[in-house]
Amino acid sequence: MSTPTYSLADIFQNILTAIQNILGEVAKVIAENAGVIASVLVVGGLAAMMVRYGDRIIRGIAGFFRGLF
């Protein structure tokens, strides 16, 4: 039983095939979960906007009531 000899081209071909398979699987998973990913991005963006602009609004309202009383 001798061990098979691999050429440099065979090794690189196997590496490239493995990378291609991994990228294909990642793309497939992203495509299957595109709706969930989009929902998370939209909700996250809305939450970030609420934190950024809500803080300014609340400060303005608090200042108004501080000046009122």
Side-chain angles (χ1 to χ4, degrees):
M1 278 180 57
S2 65
T3 58
T5 57
Y6 295 106
S7 69
L8 195 57
D10 292 336
I11 293 171
F12 281 130
Q13 183 64 37
N14 289 338
I15 291 172
L16 291 175
T17 301
I19 292 171
Q20 186 179 15
N21 290 340
I22 290 169
L23 290 176
E25 288 297 319
V26 168
K28 188 170 89 172
V29 168
I30 290 173
E32 288 173 355
N33 296 310
V36 174
I37 293 169
S39 297
V40 168
L41 288 176
V42 168
V43 170
L46 289 174
M49 285 176 42
M50 288 298 294
V51 167
R52 180 175 179 164
Y53 297 112
D55 185 45
R56 293 179 185 174
I57 293 169
I58 290 172
R59 278 190 210 167
I61 293 172
F64 172 76
F65 282 117
R66 233 179 281 135
L68 198 63
F69 295 110

